[in-house]
Amino acid sequence: MDQIDDVLNQDLDPTETREWVESLNAVINHDGTERAHYLLEKMVDSTRRAGGYLPFDPTTEYVNTIPSHMEARSPGDAAIEWRIRSLIRWNALATVVRANRKPGDLGGHISSFASSATLYDVGFNHFWRAPSEDHPGDLIFHQGHSAPGVYARSFLEGRLSEDQMDLFRMEVAGKGKGLSSYPHPYLMPDYWQVPTVSMGLGPIQAIYQAQFWKYLEHRGLIPKSDRKIWCFMGDGESDEPESLGAIALAGREGLDNLIFVINCNLQRLDGPVRGNGKIIQELEGVFRGAGWNAIKVVWGSYWDPLLARDTSGKLRQLMMETVDGEYQACKAFGGAYTREKFFGKYPETAALVANMSDDDIWRLNRGGHDPHKVYAAYHAAVNTKGMPTVILAKTVKGYGMGAAGESQNPAHNQKKMDTDAIRAFRDRFNIPVSDDKLEEVPYYHPGKDSEEVQYMLERRRALGGALPQRRRKADKSFSAPALEAFEQITKGTGDREISTTMALVRGMNLMLRDKELGPRIVPIVADEARTFGMEGMFRQIGIYAPFGQKYRPQDADQLLYYREDQKGQVLQEGISEAGGMSAWLAAATSYSISNVAMLPFFIYYSMFGFQRIGDLCWAAGDMRARGFLIGGTSGRTTLNGEGLQHEDGHSHLLSGAIPNVVSYDPTFSYELAVILQDGTRRMMQEQEDVYYYLTVMNENYAHPDMPKGSEEGIIKGMYLFKDAGKAKKNEPRVQLLGSGTILREVIAAAELLEKDFGVSADIWSVPSFSEVRRDGFDAERWNRLHPESEQRVPYITGLLADRQGPAIAATDYVREFADQVRAFMPDGMRYTVLGTDGYGRSDTRANLRSHFEVDRYWIAHAALAALAKDGKVNAKDVSRAIKEYKLDQDKPNPLYA
C-alpha cells in the first residue's frame, strides 16, 4: 500500500504531467468541463480494467467549488444590503443583551447568528419565496440558535414591534406576544413552521419533507413546481446521527428540491468541531459519497487575488495542511499572528502577503461572510437538477463580536457584552447609535420610509411576501366517514378470532374506500408491513417509488406481491423508525406547509416509538401535527416471544406527557372504529391540532358487538362494559377496570370471583387512562379556582360514585399507567393497581402474565385482598385464593426479577 501511495503522490515525470494537464485544459477551453470530466472517468475506468488500484478521493481542494470567473453575479444593491445586514446584526445582538440585563437570566445566543447573518440575508433578499397565488412557497429550516436574527429582520420589516422584541424569551409575561427562544410553531403558530433547535431533527425532517413533496407531486395531489426546502445546520450538529443518517435517501431519490446550508464556523458549544482535522473536507466527502452536489464556499473575494498569484500551488497546499484548530486561532488572534503562524510556514506564501498590512491580512474574509460568494452558491444550488445540494460555508463564530467572543471557544454561550464590546460592535458595523445610548443597547430602526426598509420590503414583495409565515389550516377540510361506514369492525366477529392490529388494518381499508378521504391517507411502515398484516396494501394501493418498479418482484405470481409504483400510496421507509416518523411528520404537517391536508398512519413496534424517537414525537406536538401513530404489538406480555428489548410497558406514559397527543389502548375492534372515526373528524374535518396514539396487539381473540350507547364513553376514555346488576344485600362487589389485552383477563377474573367466591363485579373498559386523567385534573383545577361555584365532578368519579366495593385496575403496562387516576376515585373507594413493572422477557403469554401478576388469578386475588381490607370478606378467603390459584407467595417482585 505504501508503494502505491508513493506512486500516486509523487510526480515521476513532471514534463509528462504538464503535457497531460495542458491537454486537459485545452479540452476544457474547447468543449467544457463536462467533456473533460467524461474523459477523466474513461481513463480511470481503463486503469481499473487493467488491474490498477485507484482509491476514490471523495474530497476536492480546500478552495471554493465555484471558480470566481464562473460565479453568478447578484442583481442586488451590495451597499444597501450591507447596511441592512449590519442593522439586523445590531438588533439581534440588542435582543439578547437587553434580555439578559433583566432579572431572571433569560439566556440566548449571539454568536451563531453573527456567523450566519450573510447566509440568511442573501436567502431572504433573493431566493426564498413565500406562499402566494403564483408559487407554493419554499420551506426554511432555520438554525435554532439564529432565531434572534430572524426576529431582527422582522422588526425592520414592521412585523414585530419594539415591545415584542423586548419580550424575547418572555412568553408568559408576553401573554401571546412573546418571542420564543427558538423556532416553535406551537408557541408562534402564525410565524415559525418547523422546530429545529433539538439538533439533528431539522436535517432528517427536511429530507423526508423533500421526499414527501415528490410523493405529493407524483400522486397528483400538488402540481410540480420548483419550490425548495432550505435546511440550515451547524457543522457541530453534523455529529448528531439524525443529521447525516438519512442523506443517502436524498441522494438515492435525487431530491433536487432539497438544499442543505451548513454553517461551518468550525466551533461547537465547547470548542473546535474538528480541531485536529477539517470539518468541511469531512462533510464534503460524506455528502458527495451519498450522491449530493457539494458546493464549498471557503474563501471570500479578498482571497481571489492571492489565489490567482499562487502559481507555485503552495497557498493551496498550505490551505489543505492547516487544521481547523489553527484556522480558529488565526481569526481569534489577528493579522500579525496569521502572517507568522499561517503564511509564514513557506517562503512562497509569506511572499504573497509581504506587501499587505496586518489589518489587510485580518480582513481576508471567509466565504460565508461574502454575499457575492454566497449568492453564487445559492444560484448554483437552485439550478441543480437530479440531485440534492449541500453548501458548506466557512464562517467565523461570533463574527463582529471582537474580543467579546469572535472565534473563541466560549462564544456559543456568550449572551452578555460590556459597553466597550458593544461600542466596538457599533463602530465595526457603523450603527448610528450615540455613545450616551450605548449602555441601554437600544434597538435601531431607520424608519419605515428609509431606503433600507423599502429595499427589504420590495425584495420580499418580489418573492411573494413575508417569511417566516405559517398557515394554521388548510383551505379544504374533509368529512370523516360516519361510524356506520365502519360496520365491519363495529360488529362482533362471532367465533372468529382476530387481533386489534387486524381490526385496525380493516378500518384503514374501509377509510381508503372513501373517494374524498381515501387518497389523503398515507400508510407508513418501517419495514414491518407483513408483521402488521398490511401486505394487502402493496397490491391495492402500491408502495411509493419515485422511479417506479424497474424489476420483476420475486413474488410477482402471488396475489399480494410487492408492488412499487411512482404513484404508490404506502411509504415504506426501510428499517428506520426515525425515518418513518420523519415521513409521518411531513404528511402530518402537509395541511400547513403545502395547503394539502393528509392523514398519515405510521405503524411500528410500540417499544420503538415514544421511547426510541421521542424527540421527534415531541417535535410533532410543537409542529401541531395531525395523524395517527400506531404502536403495534403493544404491551409487556402480548409480544410473547421477543423479550426485553421489544416488550413495551410504558409508551402510554410517554405519549401522555405530550399535551396535544390523544392516547388510547383499545381492546375490541368496535373501540378502534369509534376512535378512528372521531380522530378523523377532529383532525381532518375540524382541523384540530392534535394527533393520536393508538396501541394495538397481535393476540387473536373473538370481538363482541359494540354495546349500545358506548361511543361517548369510548371517546372519553372509560365506559361500563358489563353491569353485574343490582347488588344483593351484603353481597361483596368489586369494580374491575382494564384496557388493551388485559381487559380480557379482567373479564375472566370476574367470572372466577363469581364462581369461586360469590363476588360480583362491574367491568369497566378504560381505553384511555390518559384521557380520564386529563379530565380529572381539569376538573380539580377548575374547582380550586372557583371555590364558590358548583363544583365539577371528574368523569371517572361520576361513573363510580354510586358503585359498591373497591376498584381494581389491571393493564399490560407499568402500574403508573392506571395509577394516574387514583386521585379521582370516589371518597372511600379503595383502589388497587396491577401492572407489568419490570423488564420484559420471552415466554408464553400465560407465563408472562403470571410472572407480572396481571393474569385473571392475580386480578381475582387482588380483588379479594381489597375486599378483605374493607371487611367484606375474611382473610381466609384471600388465603384460599392463593392456594386454589397456585399463586407463589414467595416469588420475587417482578420489578426486580
Side-chain angles (χ1 to χ4, degrees):
M1 180 62 108
D2 290 339
Q3 292 178 339
I4 293 174
D5 287 340
D6 288 342
V7 171
L8 290 173
N9 296 323
Q10 294 181 18
D11 193 347
L12 304 180
D13 188 341
T15 301
E16 182 183 35
T17 302
R18 186 171 60 254
E19 291 172 353
W20 276 90
V21 171
E22 289 173 354
S23 297
L24 185 64
N25 286 332
V27 171
I28 293 172
N29 293 331
H30 189 268
D31 297 319
T33 55
E34 290 79 7
R35 175 61 178 167
H37 182 266
Y38 174 80
L39 292 175
L40 287 171
E41 287 295 321
K42 281 292 185 182
M43 286 189 283
V44 168
D45 186 56
S46 295
T47 306
R48 285 181 175 149
R49 287 176 182 273
Y53 171 75
L54 291 178
F56 168 66
D57 188 350
T59 62
T60 61
E61 280 190 305
Y62 197 63
V63 294
N64 295 346
T65 302
I66 304 173
S68 59
H69 67 277
M70 296 182 68
E71 292 170 356
R73 305 307 298 172
S74 171
D77 185 316
I80 293 179
E81 290 185 11
W82 183 86
R83 295 203 301 272
I84 291 169
R85 196 157 53 248
S86 298
L87 295 176
I88 292 173
R89 288 182 184 279
W90 173 266
N91 287 317
L93 177 143
T95 301
V96 177
V97 172
R98 287 169 67 94
N100 284 282
R101 291 186 176 181
K102 299 174 184 176
D105 196 19
L106 292 170
H109 300 84
I110 303 171
S111 60
S112 289
F113 179 73
S115 66
S116 58
T118 302
L119 302 176
Y120 285 102
D121 193 55
V122 173
F124 275 116
N125 285 335
H126 300 290
F127 290 95
W128 301 340
R129 296 155 299 184
S132 66
E133 292 183 1
D134 302 321
H135 196 272
D138 298 320
L139 176 61
I140 318 300
F141 284 76
H142 299 86
Q143 195 177 358
H145 294 106
S146 296
V150 183
Y151 294 142
R153 171 172 281 273
S154 292
F155 169 65
L156 291 181
E157 291 176 341
R159 299 181 65 199
L160 298 176
S161 67
E162 188 169 317
D163 289 342
Q164 283 179 281
M165 297 291 280
D166 264 341
L167 291 171
F168 174 62
R169 293 195 170 200
M170 297 188 71
E171 293 157 295
V172 175
K175 297 180 179 180
K177 293 185 178 181
L179 303 182
S180 60
S181 53
Y182 308 120
H184 292 301
Y186 189 84
L187 300 173
M188 298 178 69
D190 298 311
Y191 193 85
W192 296 116
Q193 290 183 287
V194 283
T196 53
V197 84
S198 188
M199 294 191 194
L201 300 195
I204 194 170
Q205 286 185 64
I207 290 169
Y208 284 90
Q209 282 282 358
Q211 182 199 51
F212 192 70
W213 285 5
K214 296 286 188 179
Y215 168 93
L216 292 175
E217 289 178 0
H218 287 143
R219 292 192 55 219
L221 294 172
I222 62 172
K224 290 185 178 182
S225 72
D226 64 346
R227 68 191 303 212
K228 304 289 184 183
I229 292 170
W230 296 74
C231 178
F232 281 76
M233 62 182 279
D235 47 359
E237 190 176 353
S238 66
D239 287 338
E240 289 284 3
E242 294 89 347
S243 293
L244 304 181
I247 62 172
L249 166 69
R252 183 171 65 248
E253 298 196 0
L255 299 180
D256 53 10
N257 56 351
L258 177 63
I259 300 168
F260 273 23
V261 181
I262 303 185
N263 176 20
C264 297
N265 57 37
L266 313 186
Q267 287 181 244
R268 51 189 173 201
L269 277 63
D270 290 332
V273 178
R274 296 287 185 274
N276 296 309
K278 302 170 83 64
I279 187 62
I280 289 178
Q281 298 298 94
E282 178 183 321
L283 292 174
E284 179 189 26
V286 169
F287 278 94
R288 287 185 70 202
W292 288 55
N293 172 37
I295 300 175
K296 292 193 293 192
V297 187
V298 183
W299 309 112
S301 299
Y302 293 145
W303 285 88
D304 287 344
L306 292 180
L307 287 165
R309 297 204 308 271
D310 180 35
T311 55
S312 68
K314 279 294 182 180
L315 178 57
R316 287 172 170 79
Q317 177 184 331
L318 178 58
M319 289 172 167
M320 284 291 286
E321 292 171 347
T322 305
V323 296
D324 285 353
E326 290 186 82
Y327 280 123
Q328 180 183 345
C330 286
K331 270 301 173 186
F333 297 130
Y337 179 93
T338 304
R339 182 192 300 277
E340 176 187 355
K341 300 295 184 181
F342 180 74
F343 289 107
K345 288 187 177 181
Y346 295 107
E348 295 91 339
T349 53
L352 285 175
V353 296
N355 294 326
M356 295 174 64
S357 69
D358 290 345
D359 286 343
D360 290 335
I361 292 175
W362 182 79
R363 277 193 292 268
L364 289 170
N365 54 342
R366 292 183 177 177
H369 298 300
D370 187 324
H372 307 291
K373 303 293 185 182
V374 172
Y375 181 92
Y378 285 9
H379 184 273
V382 298
N383 287 288
T384 296
K385 304 297 182 184
M387 61 196 310
T389 295
V390 59
I391 295 169
L392 303 168
K394 189 175 184 180
T395 64
V396 178
K397 188 109 175 187
Y399 180 81
M401 294 173 65
E406 188 162 342
S407 199
Q408 296 180 22
N409 284 339
H412 182 81
N413 294 313
Q414 187 71 29
K415 51 185 176 286
K416 297 179 180 180
M417 294 174 66
D418 61 27
T419 302
D420 287 341
I422 291 169
R423 179 180 293 106
F425 191 95
R426 177 204 63 181
D427 293 344
R428 181 165 179 177
F429 294 108
N430 198 23
I431 307 299
V433 172
S434 61
D435 284 349
D436 62 326
K437 296 289 185 181
L438 281 181
E439 184 62 31
E440 61 188 75
V441 199
Y443 301 111
Y444 180 77
H445 196 294
K448 64 180 182 179
D449 296 324
S450 65
E451 186 179 25
E452 294 87 351
V453 171
Q454 288 301 308
Y455 183 92
M456 293 173 70
L457 295 177
E458 185 279 325
R459 292 309 310 140
R460 291 313 313 160
R461 282 193 295 269
L463 291 166
L467 284 177
Q469 64 166 280
R470 181 181 176 277
R471 179 186 292 107
R472 288 200 183 206
K473 293 188 176 184
D475 290 342
K476 184 177 180 180
S477 298
F478 293 86
S479 298
L483 190 57
E484 290 74 21
F486 294 88
E487 185 178 14
Q488 283 188 23
I489 55 174
T490 56
K491 284 191 173 182
T493 59
D495 295 332
R496 187 182 178 196
E497 296 184 342
I498 67 169
S499 66
T500 47
T501 301
M502 183 54 64
L504 171 79
V505 173
R506 287 184 177 180
M508 290 175 61
N509 280 318
L510 292 170
M511 296 170 72
L512 284 165
R513 296 176 188 174
D514 187 292
K515 291 183 179 180
E516 284 288 311
L517 182 65
R520 305 293 171 139
I521 292 172
V522 186
I524 303 170
V525 289
D527 203 41
E528 291 283 1
R530 298 185 192 278
T531 300
F532 303 121
M534 296 173 60
E535 62 269 31
M537 292 184 181
F538 295 168
R539 174 70 181 272
Q540 178 188 355
I541 56 177
I543 301 164
Y544 172 69
F547 309 113
Q549 192 160 26
K550 299 180 178 180
Y551 64 96
R552 185 178 187 275
Q554 172 270 329
D555 54 357
D557 296 331
Q558 299 178 20
L559 177 63
L560 305 180
Y561 70 92
Y562 196 84
R563 184 173 75 86
E564 297 186 78
D565 193 302
Q566 192 178 58
K567 295 185 177 181
Q569 199 162 343
V570 177
L571 284 173
Q572 163 59 279
E573 298 298 358
I575 305 175
S576 172
E577 286 82 9
M581 184 63 191
S582 297
W584 182 89
L585 272 167
T589 56
S590 178
Y591 75 92
S592 175
I593 289 170
S594 296
N595 199 21
V596 177
M598 305 295 287
L599 187 63
F601 288 77
F602 177 31
I603 306 180
Y604 54 86
Y605 272 65
S606 66
M607 190 68 158
F608 305 145
F610 285 87
Q611 172 173 294
R612 185 164 186 163
I613 51 172
D615 204 4
L616 284 165
C617 297
W618 189 259
D622 192 349
M623 290 176 72
R624 298 172 176 259
R626 303 171 188 166
F628 289 99
L629 292 182
I630 311 296
T633 55
S634 180
R636 191 79 90 201
T637 70
T638 54
L639 189 59
N640 51 320
E642 293 289 345
L644 184 151
Q645 195 75 28
H646 287 65
E647 291 171 350
D648 166 34
H650 54 277
S651 64
H652 277 282
L653 292 180
L654 301 175
S655 69
I658 302 176
N660 44 350
V661 174
V662 185
S663 306
Y664 289 96
D665 182 40
T667 304
F668 298 119
S669 60
Y670 65 81
E671 293 177 344
L672 264 169
V674 170
I675 296 164
L676 286 175
Q677 194 278 336
D678 193 60
T680 303
R681 177 191 63 81
R682 292 181 67 180
M683 294 185 288
M684 295 295 284
Q685 187 170 315
E686 305 301 328
Q687 295 208 51
E688 289 187 45
D689 293 335
V690 295
Y691 72 90
Y692 277 61
Y693 176 55
L694 310 183
T695 42
V696 294
M697 283 75 69
N698 64 339
E699 185 175 3
N700 293 322
Y701 47 82
H703 294 249
D705 291 336
M706 182 169 70
K708 188 176 181 180
S710 62
E711 295 96 316
E712 182 181 4
I714 293 169
I715 293 167
K716 287 186 174 181
M718 180 173 173
Y719 68 96
L720 183 61
F721 177 77
K722 183 180 179 184
D723 190 334
K726 187 175 181 180
K728 299 175 183 177
K729 188 176 182 180
N730 298 323
E731 177 190 41
R733 177 170 292 212
V734 293
Q735 306 300 311
L736 299 183
L737 289 66
S739 73
T741 192
I742 300 300
L743 176 60
R744 297 177 60 250
E745 294 296 322
V746 168
I747 295 168
E751 296 172 358
L752 290 176
L753 289 167
E754 176 70 30
K755 176 173 66 75
D756 297 337
F757 294 92
V759 174
S760 59
D762 297 323
I763 302 173
W764 300 86
S765 175
V766 191
S768 183
F769 280 98
S770 300
E771 286 297 291
V772 171
R773 169 191 175 275
R774 287 177 176 177
D775 168 85
F777 280 113
D778 278 346
E780 179 195 75
R781 177 180 178 275
W782 193 93
N783 291 339
R784 280 188 283 109
L785 293 172
H786 302 83
E788 297 183 36
S789 300
E790 181 179 352
Q791 298 290 276
R792 294 180 180 176
V793 179
Y795 177 63
I796 186 173
T797 310
L799 291 178
L800 297 175
D802 297 326
R803 300 283 169 169
Q804 297 179 20
I808 292 85
T811 74
D812 215 8
Y813 301 89
V814 293
R815 278 187 168 89
E816 290 96 324
F817 177 50
D819 205 54
Q820 296 179 99
V821 300
R822 180 180 296 278
F824 314 113
M825 290 293 122
D827 291 343
M829 180 175 282
R830 188 179 302 279
Y831 187 46
T832 302
V833 174
L834 304 180
T836 55
D837 294 35
Y839 282 121
R841 57 199 63 204
S842 298
D843 212 310
T844 65
R845 293 190 179 105
N847 287 345
L848 288 173
R849 287 166 188 169
S850 175
H851 166 77
F852 285 110
E853 303 172 7
V854 293
D855 68 5
R856 62 197 67 184
Y857 305 110
W858 285 97
I859 295 169
H861 165 258
L864 292 166
L867 285 166
K869 286 187 177 182
D870 284 352
K872 301 299 183 181
V873 301
N874 58 51
K876 290 183 178 180
D877 291 317
V878 183
S879 296
R880 180 162 70 89
I882 292 173
K883 182 177 180 181
E884 289 189 11
Y885 298 152
K886 299 178 181 179
L887 306 181
D888 184 356
Q889 293 174 283
D890 299 318
K891 72 186 285 286
N893 184 336
L895 175 63
Y896 310 112

